Structure formats: C-alpha cells, structure tokens
Amino acid sequence: MSHVPMRDLLVGPDLNSLTVLTAAPERTVTSVRVIDKLTDLRSVPRDSFVVVLSTASAQARGHLFDIAMRDATASGVVAVVLNGIDAAAVESTAVRIASRNGVSLLLAPLDMEPTRLVIAVAEALAGDATAALARIDAARRLITAAEMRSEDRRAAVLSSAADALGTRVDARQPSHGEPAAPVLVDGTVDTFVTASVPPDARGSWVVAARVVSTLTADAYARVIADERRTELAPLADRGRLLGELLLAPDSERVQLVSHARTVGLPVDGWHQVLRFELSSSLDSSEVSADQVDAISVSMLHAVRSEVDAKWHTTRIGGEPLLVHSVDADPGPAAARTAQFAATTALAAARKRFPGIVVRCGIGAVHRQAEGLRTSATDAKAALAVTRQARPQRDVVAIDALGLNRMLVEWYASDNTRASVDDLLAPLVDLGPAAAEEAIRTLQAYLDHQNSPARAAEVLSVHRQTVHYRLNKITKQLGVDLNDPEQRLALQLACRAWLMR
C-alpha cells in the first residue's frame, strides 16, 4: 500500500489549487474516499483523504461540523476537503479542532469537480510513474490554455508549469542539477525554462519536471516567435517598399516615395545602408533563400533591440540590407552607430547559423530617396573591399577608404565591371585558384614599378617564378607591359577584379 505525505499531495496537479485552512504536511495518506453525509466520517478508513460533496459541505456551518471534525479525528482521517463553499462558511471552532488533532482541512475551488480531486489523489497513491504522468498531463492542459490567452502569455505559460509541478518555474539560466530546457526561437537559444527543485523532491517529480520543462520551453518559444512576428510585420511591409525604392526605374520612383511617406517611412530624411554578403563556411556557396530570410529577421531584431528602433531590412538578390533612416542629419555619430550595428548584426547572423560566413559593407549617410540609393551603392562597393583585403575584413565602411574610395566607386559601375571581365577573361578562364594567382602576380608587378624582384618579395616567391608567370600572363592576355596605357588599364582591372 502506498503512503504519500500530505506535503507531496498538496503540490500535485489539481491538488495544488486547494485552499488550506489548516494542514498536517507530515501525515501520510493511504486511500481516498468520497462522502455525501458528514456522519460518514465515523466509518471511513484510517489515513484516508476524504472528499466531502457539496450537499454535505453545506453543513459546515454550526456545531454539527464541530462534531464531524471530532468524528474525523477519531477515525484517523488525514484530510477533509469541502466542496461548493467558501472559507467564510466554515466555523472557526471546527478549524481549531482540525488543527489541534492534525487533520488537514481544505477547500476546493468552486468550479472544480470533486471527481478531479479523487482522480488526482488516486493517481498519486498509484505510484511514482502515475504521479509523474499526472503532472505532465496537467502541465500540457494548463500550458495549452495559457498559449491561447490574448495577453501576458509568457507569464501565463510559466505559471501553468509552476502549478503542475508545485514549484517555481522561471525563464533563466539553470543552476547545476535543475531541470531545464532551452527556449529555441528561430533556431537560437533565447533563454532557458528552469524549474526550482523542492528540498523533498522525489524521482517521479524530477522525471515529470524534465518533461514539463521541455513542454514549457517549446510553448514559451512559440509565444516569443509569435510576438516577434507581430512586432515585425509592419516592418516587413516597409522593407519590401525600401527594396522597390532601391530597384525601381526613375519613372516609378515618385509614386513609391509618396507611398513611403504614407506608411511612415522617413524617406525625406537621412539614410545609411549596410549590405551583407552571406556564404557557407564549408564551400563558400550561397546560402538558401530561407536562411537569408531567417538571418535578416535575426539581424533586424538584434539591431532594433541593441542599437535603436530606426532600422529596417530589405533584400537585393541574396544579400540582406539594413537601412537606418532618421529625420535629422546624424552627423559624426553615424559612423559609430553603423559600426556598432554591423558588428551586432554579424553576431546575430553567426549565432543563428554558426557555420555562416558574413561580411558587411557600410555606405555613407545621404539624404532623401536618391540618397538612399547612393548609400546602397556605397555599401555594395565597400562590401567588395571586404573580399580584397588581406586578411579579409568582416566590416568595411566606405567613408574609411580614403583615396581608395574613388577606385571602389569606379568599380561599382556595371559598365566598369563588364570591361574588367572582358580584359581579364583569359586569366579568369584558368579557374578560380589559377586566376587569382595570376592576377595577384600581375598586380604586384605593376604596383611596384614593373620590378620582378619587389613583386617576388611581396608574393613570397622566387624572382624567376615571377618572370615565368609574367611571360605566361602576357601571352594569354596579348598585352604589352611596356605600354603605359595598357599598364594603367591592367593595374586598375587587377585591383577591381580582386574586390569582387
């Protein structure tokens, strides 16, 4: 026969909602009984948990209930639960009798069916496995209801888990040994759901707590994700509009600008664009469209949380853009804000997909709709520099390039890129590795006044190797390196190609 202490029963599912008028937590229960007459307390088994139906509970007023409590004491009853009445209806003398004799006197919620109490006690008495399943089932029901609420859903989910487990459940980092589960929002651990361990926790409680923590963490994550979607939905519409503004022909721009004003975009203000390039760290391949969308949302959420709320996101092809739009000229502070936003966004992207390679180009601040497009062009050019730098740089701001900015902006032109591709095509056709080796060799030679020795030093190869490579390069390109115009065109082309 199972012996379950009252302290364990009172923290179990459904039973933790009972109002305690007086309790003897150390006494143990071995059975559960239901009575519809107070006089039945004289004949119930010893160590029983007695559920009094509402018809009999109505007699809790007056001296008859005092007599009933004495009968319960004589029978060795552990607990008496009254149904259908409130605390004010119970005689204080009866409460004192119960307290003096170690009988727990309890009140059920007015809307609770007595059968739920009987089932809860019976499941607890049936053993550890049944008790654990009962807690898990109660948590599932309560958490499902909490998710359906219209407000305070995070707190409601945690409170539901706490009710089922009979202990505090919080969104926090767990201490050693505490049952916990990660809250995964869009693939990233946002926090943990952690259950505090009661001093007298048994094995069944720990088993239930681990499962309930997982159920709660999943529900908590769904609530957070839903809140974020609701928050970012208007921003998604604005982001699409920004993308249209960046790509639309001049004939459509006036109408788009007017639309932007009506939806609250400060299109007439000052804009700064951050453009990102994403690739896989394993093979430098492009990431999927779904990954780009997920990263865009993560980056936007991060910069709006940690920088300010004046950011929007859009996409051009497979590259996400973050756009900062303000009403007044941000002045010198814009550079610091953009740099902080870039590093914040990169960290969010790498946290979302740890295997991702992310680089960022930062455009300058420009005004009005035309300035938005100019800043986007700046950002694209600065992004190209991140690939050229040795070692490669994660973030490059167009304003920090100095004289090199002229070359970057020159290369940002579609016509320029086409001319560079045509000029260097014979080398590019050799394949990625061979092409880069040849173009870097040619650049080093031209950058150092046609000196094979200096080029060899820069490339860390033998001078004869440079001579050998240059002979092959000039034959493949069909150029004369003694012609100053051809040298200049090749020098610019090499630098521009290495920016891609």
Side-chain angles (χ1 to χ4, degrees):
M1 180 181 296
S2 296
H3 293 71
V4 180
M6 277 297 298
R7 66 172 181 272
D8 291 346
L9 282 178
L10 291 177
V11 296
D14 290 331
L15 300 174
N16 57 12
S17 62
L18 298 175
T19 300
V20 178
L21 300 181
T22 182
E26 301 305 319
R27 291 193 64 184
T28 58
V29 174
T30 60
S31 65
V32 59
R33 291 292 186 272
V34 180
I35 63 171
D36 59 1
K37 299 188 297 290
L38 290 180
T39 54
D40 289 344
L41 285 168
R42 300 169 186 172
S43 57
V44 294
R46 186 173 185 81
D47 298 329
S48 59
F49 185 103
V50 180
V51 177
V52 183
L53 297 181
S54 57
T55 52
S57 297
Q59 301 173 23
R61 295 181 183 274
H63 72 285
L64 289 179
F65 194 57
D66 293 352
I67 296 172
M69 283 295 96
R70 292 190 178 95
D71 289 340
T73 300
S75 298
V77 169
V78 176
V80 174
V81 182
L82 302 176
N83 285 270
I85 63 172
D86 55 33
V90 182
E91 288 291 338
S92 59
T93 53
V95 176
R96 288 196 294 271
I97 293 170
S99 177
R100 189 165 57 244
N101 292 286
V103 177
S104 297
L105 185 55
L106 313 165
L107 294 179
L110 296 176
D111 59 350
M112 179 176 284
E113 288 292 329
T115 52
R116 286 177 58 183
L117 295 174
V118 175
I119 292 171
V121 176
E123 287 176 338
L125 293 174
D128 284 356
T130 304
L133 289 172
R135 290 186 188 276
I136 294 166
D137 184 62
R140 180 190 58 78
R141 288 188 287 104
L142 293 170
I143 290 169
T144 299
E147 278 194 81
M148 301 296 290
R149 292 180 54 165
S150 58
E151 57 184 23
D152 296 331
R153 291 194 294 161
R154 295 195 201 189
V157 167
L158 295 175
S159 178
S160 297
D163 287 345
L165 292 175
T167 189
R168 187 177 181 86
V169 177
D170 300 294
R172 61 174 173 84
Q173 191 79 19
S175 299
H176 179 70
E178 287 186 312
V183 177
L184 289 169
V185 183
D186 292 327
T188 301
V189 178
D190 189 275
T191 183
F192 289 81
V193 165
T194 303
S196 300
V197 181
D200 52 357
R202 296 187 299 176
S204 64
W205 184 92
V206 175
V207 171
R210 288 173 179 162
V211 177
V212 171
S213 295
T214 300
L215 291 173
T216 309
D218 290 346
Y220 201 80
R222 288 192 294 271
V223 170
I224 292 176
D226 188 50
E227 289 175 351
R228 288 184 184 173
R229 281 193 296 271
T230 301
E231 174 192 350
L232 297 178
L235 301 179
D237 293 337
R238 295 180 182 183
R240 284 189 287 272
L241 181 54
L242 281 171
E244 292 177 19
L245 275 170
L246 290 171
L247 298 174
D250 293 343
S251 59
E252 299 177 11
R253 206 174 308 162
V254 173
Q255 184 177 356
L256 287 172
V257 169
S258 176
H259 185 198
R261 292 188 185 110
T262 62
V263 299
L265 269 176
V267 69
D268 297 311
W270 300 79
H271 310 283
Q272 188 165 27
V273 176
L274 280 60
R275 185 163 180 157
F276 298 85
E277 181 181 78
L278 313 173
S279 62
S280 167
S281 61
L282 299 178
D283 55 9
S284 298
S285 62
E286 292 185 359
V287 300
S288 69
D290 288 343
Q291 286 178 310
V292 174
D293 287 340
I295 289 171
S296 298
V297 171
S298 296
M299 292 195 302
L300 180 61
H301 178 74
V303 297
R304 286 178 66 87
S305 299
E306 300 182 35
V307 184
D308 62 47
K310 298 175 182 177
W311 292 88
H312 295 83
T313 187
T314 189
R315 274 176 55 182
I316 294 181
E319 295 183 345
L321 279 69
L322 288 175
V323 181
H324 195 227
S325 300
V326 293
D327 293 321
D329 185 353
R336 294 189 297 273
T337 300
Q339 187 71 30
F340 180 42
T343 55
T344 299
L346 261 60
R350 289 165 180 158
K351 184 178 180 182
R352 181 68 179 84
F353 291 105
I356 212 78
V357 174
V358 195
R359 287 185 284 271
C360 174
I362 302 176
V365 177
H366 296 281
R367 192 179 182 189
Q368 298 183 332
E370 188 58 40
L372 172 66
R373 294 162 70 101
T374 303
S375 184
T377 301
D378 287 348
K380 181 180 181 181
L383 184 58
V385 177
T386 65
R387 296 187 291 271
Q388 182 197 31
R390 289 292 181 272
Q392 288 186 339
R393 294 158 61 184
D394 288 342
V395 180
V396 170
I398 193 75
D399 285 339
L401 292 177
L403 290 175
N404 197 38
R405 176 173 178 171
M406 182 174 64
L407 175 63
V408 170
E409 292 176 340
W410 168 75
Y411 181 62
S413 161
D414 291 336
N415 291 334
T416 297
R417 288 198 301 276
S419 297
V420 168
D421 290 342
D422 289 343
L423 182 58
L424 299 179
L427 301 182
V428 174
D429 290 343
L430 298 174
E436 181 162 351
E437 178 185 88
I439 292 171
R440 287 196 179 279
T441 299
L442 182 56
Q443 181 192 24
Y445 175 74
L446 296 171
D447 282 355
H448 293 88
Q449 292 76 48
N450 295 9
S451 169
R454 293 288 304 282
E457 182 180 342
V458 170
L459 297 169
S460 299
V461 298
H462 194 276
R463 184 170 59 180
Q464 287 302 113
T465 301
V466 173
H467 278 295
Y468 173 74
R469 290 180 183 175
L470 287 171
N471 285 334
K472 288 181 61 178
I473 290 168
T474 53
K475 289 178 182 178
Q476 287 163 329
L477 293 178
V479 294
D480 180 5
L481 296 183
N482 292 317
D483 183 335
E485 290 189 1
Q486 292 189 50
R487 284 202 311 271
L488 177 60
L490 286 167
Q491 189 173 14
L492 290 173
C494 288
R495 285 183 169 274
W497 189 89
L498 290 168
M499 287 180 185
R500 68 182 60 208

